[in-house]
Coordinates of all heavy atoms in Angstrom, one line a residue:
C161 N 70.5 53.5 -52.0 CA 69.6 54.6 -52.5 C 69.5 55.7 -51.5 O 69.4 56.9 -51.9 CB 68.3 54.0 -52.8 SG 68.3 52.9 -54.3
R162 N 69.4 55.4 -50.2 CA 69.3 56.4 -49.2 C 70.6 57.1 -49.0 O 70.7 58.4 -48.8 CB 68.9 55.8 -47.9 CG 67.4 55.5 -47.9 CD 67.0 54.6 -46.7 NE 65.6 54.3 -46.6 CZ 64.9 53.6 -47.5 NH1 65.6 52.9 -48.4 NH2 63.6 53.4 -47.3
A163 N 71.7 56.4 -49.0 CA 73.0 57.0 -48.8 C 73.4 58.0 -49.9 O 74.2 58.9 -49.7 CB 74.1 55.9 -48.8
R164 N 72.8 57.8 -51.1 CA 73.0 58.7 -52.2 C 72.7 60.1 -51.8 O 73.3 61.1 -52.3 CB 72.2 58.3 -53.4 CG 72.3 59.1 -54.6 CD 71.5 58.6 -55.7 NE 71.5 59.5 -56.8 CZ 70.5 59.8 -57.6 NH1 69.3 59.2 -57.4 NH2 70.6 60.7 -58.5
W165 N 71.7 60.3 -51.0 CA 71.2 61.7 -50.6 C 71.8 62.1 -49.2 O 71.6 63.2 -48.8 CB 69.7 61.7 -50.5 CG 69.1 61.3 -51.8 CD1 68.5 60.1 -52.1 CD2 69.0 62.1 -52.9 NE1 68.1 60.1 -53.4 CE2 68.4 61.4 -53.9 CE3 69.4 63.4 -53.3 CZ2 68.1 61.9 -55.2 CZ3 69.2 63.9 -54.5 CH2 68.5 63.1 -55.5
M166 N 72.6 61.3 -48.6 CA 73.1 61.6 -47.3 C 74.5 62.3 -47.4 O 75.4 61.7 -48.1 CB 73.3 60.4 -46.4 CG 72.0 59.8 -46.0 SD 72.3 58.4 -44.9 CE 70.6 57.8 -44.7
T167 N 74.7 63.4 -46.8 CA 76.0 64.1 -46.7 C 76.2 64.5 -45.3 O 75.3 64.5 -44.5 CB 76.0 65.3 -47.6 OG1 75.1 66.3 -47.1 CG2 75.7 65.0 -49.0
K168 N 77.5 64.8 -45.0 CA 77.8 65.3 -43.7 C 77.1 66.5 -43.3 O 76.7 66.7 -42.2 CB 79.3 65.5 -43.6 CG 80.1 64.5 -42.9 CD 81.5 65.0 -42.7 CE 82.3 63.9 -42.0 NZ 83.7 64.2 -41.9
A169 N 76.8 67.3 -44.3 CA 76.2 68.6 -44.1 C 74.7 68.5 -43.9 O 74.1 69.3 -43.2 CB 76.5 69.6 -45.2
T170 N 74.1 67.5 -44.4 CA 72.6 67.4 -44.4 C 72.0 66.3 -43.5 O 70.8 66.3 -43.2 CB 72.0 67.2 -45.8 OG1 72.5 66.0 -46.3 CG2 72.4 68.4 -46.7
T171 N 72.8 65.3 -43.1 CA 72.3 64.1 -42.4 C 73.0 63.9 -41.1 O 74.3 64.0 -41.1 CB 72.5 62.9 -43.3 OG1 72.0 63.1 -44.6 CG2 71.7 61.7 -42.7
L172 N 72.3 63.7 -40.1 CA 72.9 63.4 -38.8 C 73.8 62.2 -38.8 O 73.4 61.2 -39.5 CB 71.8 63.2 -37.7 CG 70.9 64.4 -37.4 CD1 69.8 64.0 -36.5 CD2 71.7 65.5 -36.7
A173 N 74.9 62.2 -38.1 CA 75.8 61.1 -38.1 C 75.2 59.8 -37.7 O 75.5 58.8 -38.3 CB 77.1 61.5 -37.3
P174 N 74.4 59.8 -36.6 CA 73.8 58.5 -36.2 C 73.0 57.9 -37.3 O 73.0 56.6 -37.5 CB 73.0 58.8 -35.0 CG 73.6 60.1 -34.4 CD 74.1 60.8 -35.6
M175 N 72.3 58.7 -38.1 CA 71.5 58.1 -39.2 C 72.4 57.6 -40.3 O 72.1 56.5 -40.9 CB 70.5 59.2 -39.8 CG 69.5 58.6 -40.8 SD 68.6 57.2 -40.3 CE 67.4 57.8 -39.1
R176 N 73.5 58.2 -40.6 CA 74.4 57.7 -41.6 C 75.0 56.4 -41.1 O 75.1 55.5 -41.9 CB 75.5 58.7 -41.9 CG 75.0 60.0 -42.6 CD 76.2 60.8 -43.1 NE 77.4 60.9 -42.3 CZ 77.6 61.9 -41.4 NH1 76.8 62.9 -41.3 NH2 78.7 61.9 -40.8
Y177 N 75.4 56.3 -39.8 CA 76.0 55.1 -39.3 C 75.0 54.0 -39.3 O 75.3 52.8 -39.6 CB 76.5 55.4 -37.9 CG 77.5 56.4 -37.8 CD1 77.7 57.2 -36.6 CD2 78.4 56.7 -38.8 CE1 78.7 58.1 -36.5 CE2 79.4 57.7 -38.7 CZ 79.5 58.4 -37.6 OH 80.5 59.4 -37.5
A178 N 73.7 54.3 -38.9 CA 72.7 53.2 -38.9 C 72.4 52.7 -40.3 O 72.3 51.5 -40.5 CB 71.4 53.8 -38.3
T179 N 72.4 53.5 -41.3 CA 72.2 53.1 -42.7 C 73.4 52.2 -43.1 O 73.2 51.2 -43.8 CB 72.0 54.3 -43.6 OG1 70.9 55.1 -43.1 CG2 71.8 53.9 -45.0
T180 N 74.6 52.6 -42.8 CA 75.8 51.9 -43.1 C 75.7 50.5 -42.4 O 76.1 49.5 -43.0 CB 77.1 52.6 -42.7 OG1 77.1 53.9 -43.4 CG2 78.3 51.9 -43.1
A181 N 75.3 50.5 -41.1 CA 75.2 49.2 -40.4 C 74.2 48.3 -41.1 O 74.4 47.1 -41.2 CB 74.9 49.5 -39.0
L182 N 73.1 48.8 -41.5 CA 72.0 48.0 -42.2 C 72.6 47.5 -43.5 O 72.4 46.3 -43.8 CB 70.8 48.8 -42.5 CG 69.7 48.8 -41.5 CD1 68.6 49.8 -41.9 CD2 69.2 47.5 -41.2
A183 N 73.3 48.3 -44.3 CA 73.9 47.8 -45.5 C 74.9 46.7 -45.2 O 75.0 45.7 -45.9 CB 74.6 49.0 -46.3
G184 N 75.7 46.9 -44.2 CA 76.7 45.9 -43.8 C 76.1 44.6 -43.4 O 76.5 43.5 -43.8

Side-chain angles (χ1 to χ4, degrees):
C161 288
R162 284 166 177 75
R164 177 178 176 220
W165 301 103
M166 293 182 182
T167 66
K168 256 186 181 176
T170 62
T171 310
L172 295 172
M175 187 51 75
R176 292 193 322 265
Y177 300 151
T179 303
T180 302
L182 268 176

